[in-house]
Every structure is written in structure tokens, then in C-alpha cells.
Amino acid sequence: NFKSVMVVPSCKEFIDIVLSKTQRKTPTVIHKGYHISRIRQFYMRKVKYTQKTINEKLSHILLDFPRLDDIHPFYSDLMHVLYDRDHYKVALGQVGAVRHMVDNVGRDYVRLIKYGDSLYRCKQLKRAALGRMATACKKLGSALTYLEKVRQHMGRLPSIDPTAPTLLVTGFPNVGKSSFMNKVTRADVEVQPYAFTTKSLFVGHTDFNYEPWQVIDTPGILDHSLEERNVIEMQAITALAHLRACVLFFMDLSGQCGYSVAQQLSLFRSIRPLFQGKPLVIVLNKCDVCQLSDLEAHDQEAVMTAIEESGGQYISTSTLTDIGVGDLKQKACKLLLESRVEEKEQSSRFQAIQNRLYMAQPKSRDRLKRESFIPESFIAEQAIPVEERTRRKTQRDMEWEGGGPGRYQANDRLTWDLENPDWVDDIMPDIMDGHNIYDNIDPEIADALNELEDEEEGRLVTKEMQESKAKPYYTLDDSTVEAVRMIRDRIKVMKMERSIKSTPERRTHSQAEAIERFNARTGSTEPLSRIKRNRSMSAASDAIERDRTASSHVSTKASRSMSGRTASQDRSLSVNRGEGFRDVNQKMRAVKLSKVKIRDRNRDGRVGESDRVMVNKMPKHLFVGHIKANGKRDRR
């Protein structure tokens, strides 16, 4: 798809794009207190980013343009005819060479900046690196201009599928090729009464056997050597050489095209090697003016000899009166389909597939002769005339009898299993065996049944939940109970020891007595040391308790939010004398407001050298006033 190739900028535009992107995407300010390592990173980043940007853009150009060795031979030769293969490859080779040169420059200067000993040295190295990269890009001036022209022309090329079924129209100029193209396709090719109206390949599309076909109109070809043919004629030669299509060679027997029958036959013989292996149809156009029988004897003989030697077929048409145009399309499409089938049958792949095919034939299991059995009922029915045969009544017949689709109402009773099938159409009685039938019918019985099932399901769910919440009850013997008691006592002692290690408070007298009792019962020998109560610790405990009681008047929402705080956080929220707060609630609001006020200052403190701020995006001196002749605005 040549239309997807991106625009190739000129050399100056390319350098401006790269340098402006580097300026926008990298830091721009070096502050006074930067360390030398940070200054090196600053300039290394600019050099690396510039090198990366140039590499990406040049690589994109190389990937967008097709490689002549990787595309279909038809497009390869067509591009050679239009753009010169050597010039095209040289231009792409220059782009690749400059890309490699820029990579080397960036790598070398990054290595030099890494050992820069001052801000001035690093800045000059960066400047030299960007300058050498720009100088290398300036060498691509002619190559980029050439590639942009190639891109514009490639975007106007028709989209030709070399593998699709194709009809290829060729011949001398002004013999009716474009007129036939406009007749059988939806294309609109220019038709004029002079030669070389068509200067390039045109593609139209038509349908045959519910499949799309493409019809290619080629420029006219003159009868001279291959070296003397121009670019317009070489496009037609390229299409004839590489496209597997049905060739329609148009001839004008009337001579209105400006060329005699002998000249047209000479052109036919010169390009006949291009028709090898392709179905060929010679179209004798403008039969409304001159037919084959109207020619002189030697011309008729020459035309028929040329047709027989080529092995093709001929047909007379007139694009003015539409005589034979439809027949020509049918004949050409069928010839191409037949030739494709023959090619597939002659290929080695067809033979390999055919060897794998096996058609099973049934074998007789014995020699008995088995006659076909026809039921007597069928024979008897066939003996009855068609008008007198009884046909089974189907649901479709009932639908048309009942008014047709949309009005017919199907009878559901036909599927009922009744003791007597004749009861199907009976009316349901109101009184049976002396009882009213509707007394035994509850119209809300379905709703009542659903409510009963829902209630039963709810009770089962409630019962399961109660059973899951109930604590299991186990019976333990005396030894197990004693072991459980010892484990619980040990857990209490471990908790006491943990509290002693984690807090500055020491054991109380009651804790020490509990430990002694446990040691006496278990036989442990832990010494009991005298521990005095620390007055400062008790004062701290009293302060904590006082803070908790003082904050008891806080609202429910505040107490809920403060419930998860630690003791240190509770102490920080207490109101001490001299702080100027009425209560804890007022202090919390003050702390929250202070955090909001310092938010902007904290954000400004995290700003780096790469964060750019545009205070005024539309300066008044640039966006106010009339545009003068010099292209500037001046409000004064």
C-alpha cells in the first residue's frame, strides 16, 4: 500500500523538527548549585535524545519505502521504469549511511561529555555534537527531495493485485482501449480522438461469476525497438511481462487510429513473446465502420495468419454501438479461468494432491441377487391419478385456511394426549358430575406455590446460619483440662514478660506474685527481683488517661476516625495549656488547614529542571491586533 508512506520533510524542516523536539522534551535550565555529575547527565541526555530522534525518523523513512527486492516483480520493474532503480537505491542508501553516522557521533560525544570537567566544557561538547548531527543531516538534501517526489507519485499509482483475475487491454494508441474499459467497468478513463490520451496504467473492476475481476487499461504502444520506447510505453510492456492475465489486443481495421493494418500486425508480432503462456483474444474493434470481410484479400489473409500463429481467438466489437462488448468480456473471462485450471493440473502440487486422493468402491459380500423392494402401498398410491390422491393436511395448509401468516392462531390442543382424540375440539364444561369445575381451580395457586417454596428455602438458610454460628461443645477429661490450664497460665506469663520488654514500665507486685505462683506449680526457678515503681512512668500513664478522658466529648465521627490511632498520636492531639485551642476538635481543624496551606509550597519544592510552566499561554502582544502586510501583529 504505497499510499500509507508518510510525508518526507525537506532537509531544513527535518533539522528543525529534531532540534525543536529535543528542546521541548528535555530539561532546559541548569541551576547554580548543580553538581558536575548532574550537569554531565543534563547534556548527555540532550545528545542522546537528539541522536535517538534522528535515528527513529530516518528508520521510519527506510521502513515506509518498499525494498525493490522484496516486492512483486511487476511493482519492482514498474518503479524502475518510473523512478530509476539505481537512483532510488542510492537515495535510500544515503539515508541509511547518515543514520549510522549520527549514531556514531552521538556515541562518541556522550563518551566525551561523561568526562567533562566543567559546565562550559560539557556545553561546548553538546553544541559540537548537535552541530555535527545537523551537518550530517544536511547531506540528505537532494535524497529527501527525491524521495518526497517519489512518494507523491507512488500515492497516485493504481492499486493492482498481481494475483487477482485480470483482463489486460493493449494495442496501438487510439484504437478503442479506454472506451472498452469504460463500457465493462465502473472506471471513468478520459477518451479523446488523439494518440496517447492514456499516459499511465488505469484499473477498473467488473464482476464475472459473482467474483471481482480487474481490467487494466495500458497506454498505447508504438512499433519500434525496446530501447526507443519511452516511459509511457514501458509501463504497458511491464504489465504485459509480469501480470498473469488474459491479453486483449485491440486492432482498428478502419485505419481511423492513424496506423494501417500492416503496422498493427507488425506490432503484434514484435510483442508476441510477451503473450506466451497467457490466453489471448484479438479484438477487431470499430466493426460498425469496417469489418474483416471489408478488407482486401491480402490484409484478410495476413490477419488470419497472425491469429493462427499466435493460437489465440478473435472477435469483432464496436464500443460505440456495444456490439460484441458483452461477448468479449464473457469469452476473455472463461479463457482465463480455463487456462488457470490447466496450469494447476500440470503443476507438481496437483499431482501430489491427486496421489493422496482415494475413491472407495463398494465390494459385493456374496453372489446373491437382491431386487429392490417397493412397498405395495406406494405402488397402489402411484396407480391412483394425481387429482384423486388424498394428501395429508399439514400445518402450512391450516395456516392458509386460517387467514394466512399474522392472522392464523395455532391450535395447541392438537398435541394433547387424550383418551379419545375426538375430544380435542370439545368445549371445556363448567359443571361436571354435579360440581362446578372452577371451584377446584385456584387462579393464584402458582403464586402461592412460589411463596411457599421461597419461605421453605429461607428457613433452611436461617437454620444453616444458626448451626454455623453455634459453638461446638466438647467433653474433656481431667488430664486435658489440667494441660489447658497450664497452657493458659503460661500464655499470661509470656504476655507479662512481653509487656515488660516493650514498655518502660516494670512488673507490679501482683504480677510478681502471679509469676511466683506459676513457678511453684510448674517447678520453674526464675528469680524475683525487686522492682520499684517509676514515678515518671506512672505520671506518663496518668497523662495518657487524662487525654483520653478529655477527648471523650468529641463527636461520634471524630471519635470513630481517632479510634485507630496509636497512643503517641493521641498524645499529639491533646490540648495543652498555652496552645490557644479550645478543645481537640479545634486543634484537628487547625492541623488540617495548615496541611492544605503548605501543599502548594511542597509541590513547588519537588519541581525539577525538566518541569516547564507556561504562565501565559496567549500573550497579548502576540494575539491582539490586525495582521499587517509583513505578517506581524501590532496593537499599538
Side-chain angles (χ1 to χ4, degrees), residues 11-12 14-15 98 131-142 144:
C11 175
K12 187 176 181 304
F14 183 81
I15 295 174
V98 169
R132 288 191 61 184
M133 292 180 189
T135 303
C137 294
K138 287 181 181 178
K139 297 179 180 179
L140 292 176
S142 59
L144 294 180

Side-chain angles (χ1 to χ4, degrees), residues 307-406:
I307 294 174
E308 292 175 358
E309 290 177 354
S310 63
Q313 302 183 16
Y314 74 96
I315 185 173
S316 298
T317 62
S318 173
T319 54
L320 181 64
T321 60
D322 292 345
I323 297 175
V325 174
D327 297 338
L328 172 59
K329 173 186 171 182
Q330 297 283 336
K331 177 180 288 188
C333 294
K334 289 180 180 178
L335 282 176
L336 181 59
L337 292 178
E338 292 174 359
S339 66
R340 286 195 167 193
V341 171
E342 291 177 0
E343 288 181 5
K344 290 182 179 179
E345 290 179 353
Q346 295 174 1
S347 63
S348 59
R349 185 179 178 186
F350 177 80
Q351 297 295 336
I353 294 175
Q354 191 177 28
N355 292 335
R356 293 201 301 266
L357 296 178
Y358 172 74
M359 184 171 59
Q361 296 288 345
K363 297 181 180 180
S364 58
R365 58 187 177 183
D366 49 32
R367 296 183 179 180
L368 296 178
K369 187 177 181 181
R370 294 177 174 82
E371 300 291 343
S372 58
F373 173 73
I374 301 176
E376 296 180 358
S377 59
F378 179 78
I379 297 174
E381 185 178 357
Q382 292 296 322
I384 303 174
V386 179
E387 300 81 10
E388 300 179 2
R389 293 179 186 175
T390 57
R391 181 173 170 272
R392 183 173 63 88
K393 194 173 186 180
T394 61
Q395 191 73 18
R396 183 70 173 173
D397 299 334
M398 297 180 186
E399 180 180 1
W400 287 110
E401 290 177 1

Side-chain angles (χ1 to χ4, degrees), residues 208-235:
F208 179 74
N209 287 348
Y210 304 101
E211 291 184 1
W213 287 59
Q214 60 184 3
V215 182
I216 300 178
D217 181 19
T218 62
I221 307 174
L222 298 180
D223 184 21
H224 46 224
S225 62
L226 185 65
E227 293 77 10
E228 297 176 358
R229 289 194 171 102
N230 55 21
V231 175
I232 298 176
E233 296 175 274
M234 287 304 298
Q235 296 181 50

